[in-house]
Amino acid sequence: AQSVTQLGSHVSVSEGALVLLRCNYSSSVPPYLFWYVQYPNQGLQLLLKYTSAATLVKGINGFEAEFKKSETSFHLTKPSAHMSDAAEYFCAVTTGANNLFFGTGTRLTVIP
Amino acid sequence: KAGVTQTPRYLIKTRGQQVTLSCSPISGHRSVSWYQQTPGQGLQFLFEYFSETQRNKGNFPGRFSGRQFSNSRSEMNVSTLELGDSALYLCASSQGTGETEAFFGQGTRLTVV
């Protein structure tokens, strides 16, 4: 069985500050991990994905995430927050069955 | 390249009625998955269709069903609607393997009154 836990349902950062959104996963087999972003009344957009090629994954809009097997973590970071980053972020896991298990989401607020 | 199209965007239905939602995947994608998003339960997997066959199924009652046509378009049906079925229903299309990206539509917002 697979699952993800996102620590912090709400995160607030100042514009220009580091963004760190936490995700821990549980999987009995090597997982594929994803981060998605959702803007109000919209679907989900993929930010980045880990598929075992490289542990540090770079995504769109300056986001990146590092897969740490020893910590079962896949935290999302961005060096400098922008107002347009305000949204809800979801971490998701699958083991190849093409069904995603999502975390409960983290709402990011960027303070000007 | 056109994205995933879900219709309608908004629906209001009465308890006990049934509803059909539609999803047109990206051209060439053979897998369509459906998810339910609610404030209380978050994003939950309903089912996945691949080449007209249900390949995976989540933990939802039999009132939730789906199908996929030969052109990969998919429909989801919910019968005997309950208030708790009010949600954003998201469709995702992909090539069909777990490591590939799933592209999501904008969703159908269903309100049951």
Side-chain angles (χ1 to χ4, degrees), chain B residues 27-101:
Chain B
S27 177
H29 284 186
R30 296 165 64 189
S31 170
V32 173
S33 298
W34 289 90
Y35 295 83
Q36 181 195 65
Q37 185 177 24
T38 60
Q41 300 297 318
L43 279 155
Q44 293 185 286
F45 171 74
L46 280 155
F47 32 66
E48 182 224 358
Y49 285 86
F50 180 83
S51 295
E52 301 180 66
T53 301
Q54 188 181 87
R55 189 163 67 167
N56 288 297
K57 189 177 187 304
N59 189 26
F60 277 81
R63 298 186 298 107
F64 292 82
S65 62
R67 60 177 175 170
Q68 187 179 34
F69 302 96
S70 58
N71 61 359
S72 292
R73 189 177 71 85
S74 177
E75 288 182 347
M76 189 190 94
N77 184 273
V78 188
S79 62
T80 319
L81 283 166
E82 301 176 359
L83 294 179
D85 297 333
S86 295
L88 181 67
Y89 290 89
L90 292 165
C91 160
S93 83
S94 73
Q95 300 280 6
T97 58
E99 65 177 75
T100 60
E101 178 178 354

Side-chain angles (χ1 to χ4, degrees), chain A residues 5 22-26 33 35 50 55 65-76 91:
Chain A
T5 301
R22 299 178 188 275
C23 172
N24 287 90
Y25 71 91
S26 173
L33 293 159
W35 274 100
Y50 167 75
T55 57
E66 186 172 7
F67 174 75
K68 291 187 177 180
K69 185 177 179 181
S70 61
E71 298 177 9
T72 61
S73 68
F74 191 57
H75 301 331
L76 181 72
C91 181

Side-chain angles (χ1 to χ4, degrees), chain A residues 16-77:
Chain A
L18 171 71
V19 175
L20 171 61
L21 305 182
R22 299 178 188 275
C23 172
N24 287 90
Y25 71 91
S26 173
S27 177
S28 55
V29 298
Y32 302 121
L33 293 159
F34 305 81
W35 274 100
Y36 283 87
V37 61
Q38 186 178 36
Y39 297 99
N41 296 315
Q42 298 293 318
L44 301 171
Q45 181 184 13
L46 182 71
L47 284 174
L48 48 81
K49 63 181 180 183
Y50 167 75
T51 57
S52 76
T55 57
L56 182 61
V57 182
K58 294 187 183 298
I60 62 171
N61 301 339
F63 285 95
E64 64 180 40
E66 186 172 7
F67 174 75
K68 291 187 177 180
K69 185 177 179 181
S70 61
E71 298 177 9
T72 61
S73 68
F74 191 57
H75 301 331
L76 181 72
T77 60

